[in-house]
Amino acid sequence: MLKSPLLPRFGDLVVAIVDDVLAQGLTLDRAYARHFSGIDLKPQEQARIALVTGDLLRRLSLYCALTGIQVRQAAKNVWPLLHSWHAFHKIAQPNHPTLDRFNEEAFRRRLAEAKKNPVLMDGCPGWLEKLGSEQLGEAWPAERAALTAMPKRYLRVNTLKCNKDELQAALAKEHVTTVPVEGVESALQVTSDAALFRTNAFADGWFEQQDAGSQLVAAALEVTPGMRVIDACAGAGGKTLHLAAMMNGKGRLLAMDVEEWKLENLKQRARRAGAHNVETRVITSSKTVKRLKKSADRVLLDVPCSGLGVLKRNPDAKWRDTAERLPVLVALQEEILQRYSQMVKV
């Protein structure tokens, strides 16, 4: 898959998606949604485009160095970056000559220099290298290298409608292959290029796409049927729906967020999942939280965060003002923890 050149129309898509991220400020998932909706792509074609786009953004600084430009110039030079990507992976471009003879010599010289710098080869910006080295020490280089890989795809089995074996069998009939994930009982890893959201299993609410690590969060709450549970930073509700399944749809599960549109999305997902004990409530002021003081058996706070834990999936965050936002986010997290924890019973 990696060694074949991109067709010109797919190259156009890659360039458009990367441009949306770098020049327009869209997150990568929103850029994908914008360009993949309304066009007929085979699953393997969409996966191919995502592979190239993701790698360009994960190692943007490397491909900029190989092109001979600064990262801040990347938005105006996406086609040259794509040429450098092909050259780096030794993929010929019959319809788009990768480099003329002069540029090829320059490319080889830049590549030789880049290979002396493992931080650059991993596409790591300076602020992240400093933070990772300070916090992880000797473990950081391996972590940094891991961030260059394509993220794996995981599903959470919706036990309100099926079990793991039933879901695997249903997906196999739709040419989606999966394997269990060690240590995460609710998870399956997808091992094929497949359009998951076009499957009958998805339409019937048998699964949600959710990272395996994220599935450990709801499990840590140890909820049981009949409890009163609050997901106070619910967003679109991935963890809310997991909690609903663990509660067997019994008890009261209140999903709260400051963004009403996210809760509207959650309502749709809850109906598809058969999670009938989910209620939603928009946080309009501090009074919304105060009214629920000491009312819940469990409260989940998935607070606004930097996204540093999912840089493999959202590599665009490496090239934003993440470093400047960290102190602000830490203060916000502490404030939410102090205020919202009052909703838990003594």
Side-chain angles (χ1 to χ4, degrees):
M1 182 177 182
L2 187 62
K3 292 303 180 183
S4 58
L6 274 176
L7 296 175
R9 68 187 183 99
F10 295 159
D12 290 339
L13 265 174
V14 169
V15 170
I17 292 168
V18 174
D19 182 72
D20 271 357
V21 171
L22 298 179
Q24 308 303 322
L26 267 65
T27 59
L28 182 56
D29 56 347
R30 292 204 173 193
Y32 281 148
R34 175 177 176 179
H35 289 280
F36 287 158
S37 61
I39 62 174
D40 187 20
L41 287 173
K42 296 177 181 177
Q44 59 268 31
E45 293 173 338
Q46 186 167 315
R48 170 70 166 160
I49 293 166
L51 182 150
V52 179
T53 304
D55 190 45
L56 273 174
L57 290 170
R58 281 183 204 95
R59 296 192 283 183
L60 182 64
S61 55
L62 170 63
Y63 295 118
C64 283
L66 296 179
T67 307
I69 61 174
Q70 301 293 319
V71 170
R72 64 177 179 270
Q73 300 171 307
K76 298 179 180 179
N77 292 278
V78 183
W79 266 116
L81 289 174
L82 187 55
H83 293 330
S84 291
W85 183 91
H86 278 85
F88 179 77
H89 292 285
K90 299 179 181 178
I91 303 172
Q93 288 181 279
N95 297 311
H96 290 285
T98 305
L99 300 162
D100 59 32
R101 181 164 183 158
F102 172 79
N103 283 337
E104 187 173 345
E105 292 176 359
F107 174 86
R108 288 174 180 169
R109 185 178 66 253
R110 292 167 186 150
L111 179 59
E113 286 298 312
K115 286 181 176 179
K116 300 174 185 176
N117 185 347
V119 177
L120 179 60
M121 290 296 290
D122 289 338
C124 185
W127 70 266
L128 183 59
E129 175 65 16
K130 182 176 182 294
L131 187 68
S133 297
E134 290 174 351
Q135 297 194 4
L136 297 181
E138 294 181 358
W140 169 240
E143 185 76 16
R144 184 187 65 216
L147 290 175
T148 67
M150 276 283 288
K152 297 175 182 178
R153 291 198 295 173
Y154 296 99
L155 307 178
R156 179 182 58 78
V157 181
N158 179 16
T159 53
L160 291 173
K161 294 203 169 184
C162 64
N163 60 39
K164 189 184 296 184
D165 292 338
E166 290 170 337
L167 177 58
Q168 280 191 284
L171 289 172
K173 290 180 180 178
E174 300 191 70
H175 311 292
V176 180
T177 58
T178 58
V179 294
V181 179
E182 185 178 356
V184 188
E185 181 60 31
S186 56
L188 289 173
Q189 181 187 338
V190 180
T191 54
S192 59
D193 292 331
L196 294 173
F197 301 126
R198 298 179 191 172
T199 61
N200 292 326
F202 176 75
D204 293 339
W206 282 31
F207 71 85
E208 292 286 337
Q209 188 167 357
Q210 186 178 31
D211 279 340
S214 296
Q215 296 183 40
L216 293 173
V217 175
L221 267 73
E222 298 181 341
V223 297
T224 56
M227 277 187 174
R228 181 184 174 96
V229 179
I230 298 175
D231 184 353
C233 304
K239 296 179 180 68
T240 304
L241 298 179
H242 192 182
L243 290 169
M246 294 176 64
M247 297 168 70
N248 294 333
K250 299 175 183 177
R252 187 180 182 191
L253 178 53
L254 181 60
M256 305 170 65
D257 202 273
V258 295
E259 301 279 1
E260 185 172 6
W261 67 271
K262 291 182 179 179
L263 295 178
E264 289 300 318
N265 287 342
L266 170 55
K267 289 179 183 177
Q268 297 177 17
R269 296 174 70 186
R271 283 194 290 269
R272 186 179 64 244
H276 303 303
N277 65 326
V278 174
E279 305 173 39
T280 61
R281 185 174 303 178
V282 181
I283 301 174
T284 56
S285 68
S286 59
K287 292 181 180 178
T288 307
V289 174
K290 288 181 180 178
R291 293 190 187 103
L292 294 166
K293 188 174 182 178
K294 298 181 181 179
S295 66
D297 299 298
R298 301 283 191 277
V299 172
L300 172 60
L301 298 179
D302 189 3
V303 294
C305 70
S306 63
L308 294 182
V310 289
L311 284 179
K312 188 183 291 187
R313 192 170 302 286
N314 302 314
D316 47 296
K318 291 198 290 186
W319 315 110
R320 303 188 192 281
D321 58 348
T322 306
E324 289 74 18
R325 291 172 55 234
L326 287 177
V328 178
L329 286 167
V330 169
L332 177 60
Q333 290 166 351
E334 183 176 359
E335 179 193 351
I336 292 174
L337 179 60
Q338 293 297 330
R339 291 196 296 119
Y340 287 26
S341 61
Q342 298 176 41
M343 294 187 288
V344 185
K345 294 176 183 176
V346 175

